[in-house]
Amino acid sequence: MKVLTAQFLKSALRSEDYPRDRRPEIAFVGRSNVGKSSLLNRLLKRKGLAKTSSTPGKTQTINFFDINEKIYFVDLPGYGFAKVPKTLKDEWNRVMVEYLKDRDTLRLAVVLLDSRHDPSPLDAHMLDLLEDAETPTLLVATKIDKIGKSRRAAQIENIRRRLGLDHDAEIIPFSAETGEGVRPLWEIIDEKIAHDA
Ligand code: GTP
Ligand code: MG
């Protein structure tokens, strides 16, 4: 899809406040600081549209972005950031789980994993939750620019193995710095929304 317009629409913390016009949605999920907001900006070629920060816990609400007045991209708060107080963590979790379980216009959850690290139990839990909700899921390995070319295949295989995925399960290497992965990611997003057009 060619991005003609991309605008912040609204932030929400509960389902009454989600957009109601039933456009297809693509959501970006993953632990704090994994690069969700950066990936969204890179896909849209809009630096700074979604707020990013080197400090984990930047995105604290469900943020809806209107793309071409046709679909929504949804930037979610990260999970698993230790320094957030427990009450707030519980609240973000509630918000995220409510969104992912109940949103029937959600066409694809893009799950981001840091290519440098082992996936956490929370990542595995998130994949289980999405599977239970029968939400189509796509895995992306972020910050791939930080890994030497010789190590990347092994790192990605390590992620597959630790999540118990098949050897040929798709994981898209992605870099918000270099733009690697933008094209394959858009191809899959376009496929998911094709029958909505
Ligand atoms: P929360 O909103 O806190 O959950 O974080 P987030 O997942 O939205 O991460 P964000 O996009 O804010 O990025 C976190 C940090 O990682 C920032 O300092 C980014 O500049 C950096 N970062 C994100 N993507 C990449 C990447 O592909 N390569 C490199 N080198 N740095 C990245
Ligand atoms: Mg963010």
Side-chain angles (χ1 to χ4, degrees):
M1 190 167 94
K2 188 166 167 43
V3 179
L4 302 171
T5 59
Q7 287 170 309
F8 172 71
L9 177 71
K10 65 173 354 192
S11 294
L13 280 171
R14 50 195 69 246
S15 55
E16 304 90 273
D17 299 325
Y18 303 163
R20 290 167 192 260
D21 48 6
R22 304 200 49 80
R23 291 190 204 163
E25 284 176 7
I26 310 290
F28 301 89
V29 188
R31 77 176 173 75
S32 289
N33 207 241
V34 69
K36 298 173 293 297
S37 301
S38 303
L39 175 143
L40 195 147
N41 288 337
R42 185 79 203 205
L43 280 181
L44 298 173
K45 295 195 195 127
R46 304 288 197 280
K47 277 190 186 146
L49 180 63
K51 300 287 171 276
T52 66
S53 169
S54 55
T55 309
K58 178 67 179 173
T59 309
Q60 307 198 352
T61 51
I62 301 186
N63 295 330
F64 292 88
F65 295 88
D66 174 336
I67 317 305
N68 293 354
E69 298 182 6
K70 196 169 156 243
I71 64 173
Y72 295 121
F73 273 14
V74 183
D75 192 16
L76 292 167
Y79 49 80
F81 174 45
K83 287 192 185 144
V84 172
K86 181 161 185 320
T87 47
L88 193 56
K89 247 195 271 189
D90 290 348
E91 168 70 358
W92 290 0
N93 218 31
R94 182 195 62 73
V95 165
M96 209 170 30
V97 170
E98 182 181 36
Y99 172 82
L100 291 171
K101 279 197 159 156
D102 299 341
R103 189 66 166 162
D104 60 1
T105 50
L106 180 60
R107 296 288 184 272
L108 177 70
V110 180
V111 178
L112 283 67
L113 303 160
D114 192 316
S115 56
R116 299 168 298 173
H117 305 308
D118 292 344
S120 73
L122 288 172
D123 293 318
H125 179 69
M126 177 53 67
L127 291 179
D128 285 345
L129 186 149
L130 290 166
E131 198 177 340
D132 288 348
E134 295 181 10
T135 304
T137 298
L138 173 67
L139 294 176
V140 169
T142 62
K143 310 192 186 184
I144 201 77
D145 55 282
K146 294 200 176 194
I147 290 201
K149 283 250 173 350
S150 60
R151 280 177 47 231
R152 63 155 64 191
Q155 278 300 111
I156 288 182
E157 187 52 33
N158 175 58
I159 291 174
R160 283 197 191 96
R161 192 164 42 79
R162 289 184 181 266
L163 289 172
L165 305 174
D166 290 343
H167 182 63
D168 55 357
E170 185 165 33
I171 299 182
I172 296 185
F174 189 92
S175 169
E177 291 285 316
T178 67
E180 176 173 354
V182 165
R183 195 183 286 241
L185 195 44
W186 262 119
E187 274 172 20
I188 292 165
I189 292 172
D190 282 337
E191 241 169 63
K192 293 290 174 196
I193 58 172
H195 62 278
D196 294 298

